């Protein structure tokens, strides 16, 4: 059973998923592909995520916060610095840190939404859909 609406233009979106746990990335990748998304890039290392970000020019970023070395907060700040103020780039944070401080910090650094792990895959897919649809509408208004 499909969860998100069938809109090929939204499903062609470029999605960058960053998490230091391969199992988490595999879950996200499988769920998105099952729904018809095809342009998914996964990254296990925060430092590599910056070059992937530049190469992919994503329409949506899924970002873990707690990673060794270059953590999600640093990436969030970097992604926002690299995104022009005139663009709407949705970033969905996926984190196991359930503290209010973590959520507020992520949102204050530019995250558009926060989803706590373990999450329901259907909810993840719908949140991705809403963020991508919003980006599409934003871009249509600018055109």
């Amino acid at each position: 059973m499909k969860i998100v609406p069938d809109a090929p233009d939204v499903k062609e979106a470029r999605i960058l998923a960053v998490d230091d746990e391969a199992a988490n990335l595999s879950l996200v990748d499988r769920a998105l592909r099952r729904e018809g998304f095809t342009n998914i890039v996964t990254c296990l290392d925060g430092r590599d995520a910056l070059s992937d970000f530049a190469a992919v020019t994503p329409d949506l970023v899924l970002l873990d916060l707690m990673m060794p070395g270059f953590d999600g907060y640093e990436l969030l700040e970097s992604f926002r610095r690299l995104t022009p103020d005139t663009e709407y780039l949705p970033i969905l944070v996926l984190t196991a840190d359930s503290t209010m401080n973590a959520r507020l910090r992520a949102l204050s650094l530019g995250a558009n939404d926060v989803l706590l792990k373990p999450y329901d895959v259907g909810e993840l897919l719908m949140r991705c859909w809403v963020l991508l649809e919003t980006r599409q509408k934003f871009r249509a208004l600018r055109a």
Side-chain angles (χ1 to χ4, degrees):
M1 178 178 98
K2 296 287 185 185
I3 293 173
V4 299
D6 192 25
D9 52 339
V10 175
K11 290 186 178 179
E12 292 173 2
R14 296 173 307 275
I15 301 171
L16 174 62
V18 184
D19 196 309
D20 63 318
E21 294 289 332
N24 293 340
L25 288 176
S26 179
L27 172 70
V28 166
D29 187 71
R30 280 192 327 266
L32 289 167
R33 289 187 190 283
R34 188 175 56 240
E35 290 295 317
F37 292 93
T38 57
N39 296 319
I40 305 156
V41 174
T42 59
C43 185
L44 280 165
D45 183 87
R47 296 199 190 281
D48 293 339
L50 284 176
S51 58
D52 287 346
F53 181 85
V56 172
T57 314
D59 295 302
L60 172 65
V61 176
L62 306 177
L63 180 62
D64 182 29
L65 290 180
M66 298 184 295
M67 297 184 289
F70 213 64
D71 70 21
Y73 296 112
E74 293 170 293
L75 281 174
L76 188 51
E77 288 181 296
S78 296
F79 293 159
R80 286 301 178 213
R81 271 196 313 274
L82 294 169
T83 303
D85 291 338
T86 56
E87 277 295 315
Y88 171 71
L89 171 66
I91 298 178
L92 172 57
V93 167
L94 308 173
T95 184
D97 187 342
S98 64
T99 64
M100 182 60 72
N101 185 48
R103 289 178 282 175
L104 292 176
R105 183 175 176 203
L107 292 167
S108 72
L109 291 173
N112 298 89
D113 199 359
V114 178
L115 187 57
L116 297 177
K117 296 176 185 176
Y119 49 79
D120 177 80
V121 173
E123 183 178 4
L124 168 70
L125 292 167
M126 286 309 300
R127 287 184 189 220
C128 289
W129 176 264
V130 168
L131 290 168
L132 286 167
E133 189 178 48
T134 302
R135 176 174 166 84
Q136 184 182 52
K137 289 177 180 179
F138 174 85
R139 296 183 99 189
L141 286 172
R142 285 192 43 221

